[in-house]
Amino acid sequence: MRRHELTDQEWELLAPLIPRAATGRPRVEDRQIINGMVYKIRTGISWRDLPERYGPWKTVYTRFRRYALDGVFTRALQQIQAHADAAGDIDWLVQIDSTVVRAHQHAAATGRKGGSTGRMNHNDHALGRSRGGLTTKIHLACDGKGRPLAIMLTPGQRHDSVCARPLLERIRVPRAGLGRPRSRPDRVIADKAYSSRDFRAYLRKRDIAYTVPEKIDQQRHRRNRGRRGGRPPVFDRDIYRRRNVVERCFNRLKGFRGIATRYDKTATSYEAAVNLASFLLWARSV
């Protein structure tokens, strides 16, 4: 096994989920192709610069694009989560946060040969423009051990609080046997960016405990209203200290250079890369 390639344990977990063609010409070995994808995401090189030991670069890219569109890595992430949940290994003290990723100039060049010369809608590919250039925001929900449970991509300027509800609704860990996927955390920890009455009401409606600090202006507004302002939300500082786990999860994800800087043109490909990296984080912890 070379550096930046799958271990035998990781391949055993991923191999049953890789689609196989029943007919047709013999193709490049699946593990060799997946190793090329992992190498590309880990190092951040372009597809054309893949080492020859992984086969033709166009084959690796075509297979990756096909898996991205088919949701192969999303299902792989859900399966390894289900395996951990069946073993009681998931800590349902869920933390949510986001991080901004700079998009390389090649990520914005999505024009097709012979296609329209009109401008692309960056929102379609989770690209936002700010003073720093084009950016993508990764919204993440992780368990109490710092492993990704749900991922969501938006343009870089999108506010965190807008995405809190759809992010939590993406948590769906399949059961090992019968039953609906588990989607409700025991508790949610988030920073001040998620402090709003609507979000707290949503968590109460789903019977989810929460630890979210109140913003200073919200505190002042509540005090100015007197009795009509209501009671302050419950806040446990000892539990909130565990919020650093989600920051460490981002740290490990950005150890993949293809995640720390976005080179993928489409949101589908970039999300597939994040899901593959998340799968590897899980595989190394179970």
Side-chain angles (χ1 to χ4, degrees):
M1 186 192 73
R2 296 172 182 266
R3 191 171 180 229
H4 303 321
E5 294 184 358
L6 296 173
T7 64
D8 291 339
Q9 178 188 0
E10 292 165 353
W11 176 242
E12 287 176 6
L13 293 169
L14 185 58
L17 303 171
I18 300 300
R20 289 177 173 79
T23 59
R25 294 180 302 173
R27 63 179 190 172
V28 182
E29 184 185 355
D30 287 332
R31 184 169 183 175
Q32 180 181 349
I33 294 295
I34 298 295
N35 279 334
M37 298 177 192
V38 174
Y39 185 90
K40 192 271 180 191
I41 295 169
R42 175 63 83 171
T43 60
I45 63 173
S46 66
W47 290 105
R48 293 175 183 270
D49 294 332
L50 274 177
E52 294 181 358
R53 62 177 178 269
Y54 300 119
W57 71 266
K58 190 170 289 187
T59 300
V60 182
Y61 168 74
T62 301
R63 198 90 62 89
F64 174 80
R65 183 64 181 161
R66 187 185 307 155
Y67 292 168
L69 293 171
D70 194 38
V72 170
F73 298 127
T74 302
R75 291 195 296 273
L77 181 59
Q78 290 177 339
Q79 287 300 316
I80 199 169
Q81 290 171 352
H83 176 75
D85 190 43
D89 189 41
I90 295 182
D91 184 350
W92 285 96
L93 185 68
V94 172
Q95 290 125 71
I96 61 175
D97 204 354
S98 70
T99 186
V100 174
V101 174
R102 287 288 300 274
H104 193 268
Q105 59 183 352
H106 294 166
T110 57
R112 296 181 179 179
K113 292 181 180 179
S116 171
T117 58
R119 282 195 171 185
M120 171 197 68
N121 183 0
H122 287 157
N123 288 330
D124 294 342
H125 295 288
L127 285 169
R129 187 175 294 279
S130 63
R131 289 187 300 175
L134 291 174
T135 55
T136 294
K137 183 174 282 191
I138 303 175
H139 302 266
L140 174 70
C142 74
D143 77 335
K145 297 182 179 180
R147 299 168 299 187
L149 289 172
I151 294 158
M152 180 178 174
L153 301 183
T154 65
Q157 75 275 10
R158 191 69 51 84
H159 197 274
D160 292 352
S161 62
V162 178
C163 304
R165 184 182 300 190
L167 176 63
L168 289 178
E169 290 173 352
R170 286 194 173 204
I171 299 177
R172 296 184 63 82
V173 178
R175 306 282 186 179
L178 299 176
R180 293 179 298 177
R182 174 160 184 180
S183 59
R184 187 168 64 86
D186 292 335
R187 178 179 289 271
V188 170
I189 304 177
D191 60 18
K192 290 183 179 181
Y194 299 90
S195 177
S196 70
R197 288 187 176 183
D198 288 343
F199 184 50
R200 290 189 175 93
Y202 166 76
L203 294 174
R204 286 195 296 269
K205 183 178 180 180
R206 292 190 59 190
D207 196 23
I208 300 174
Y210 55 86
T211 301
V212 183
E214 197 177 22
K215 293 180 181 178
I216 294 177
D217 62 326
Q218 293 173 345
Q219 296 175 7
R220 184 167 56 247
H221 179 67
R222 176 174 46 78
R223 286 194 296 264
N224 290 340
R225 296 191 65 189
R227 292 182 179 179
R228 293 179 299 169
R231 292 178 297 179
V234 177
F235 178 70
D236 191 321
R237 291 184 179 276
D238 292 331
I239 294 178
Y240 188 69
R241 289 193 180 99
R242 295 188 59 180
R243 203 192 68 81
N244 65 84
V245 173
V246 69
E247 304 291 353
R248 299 205 302 269
C249 182
F250 277 129
N251 237 6
R252 289 193 293 271
L253 279 176
K254 287 189 173 182
F256 294 79
R257 292 188 177 184
I259 306 298
T261 301
R262 174 177 169 176
Y263 299 99
D264 298 281
K265 292 179 173 62
T266 66
T268 304
S269 293
Y270 186 60
E271 186 171 358
V274 177
N275 281 326
L276 177 56
S278 300
F279 172 85
L280 295 176
L281 295 186
W282 276 94
R284 292 164 188 174
S285 68
V286 295

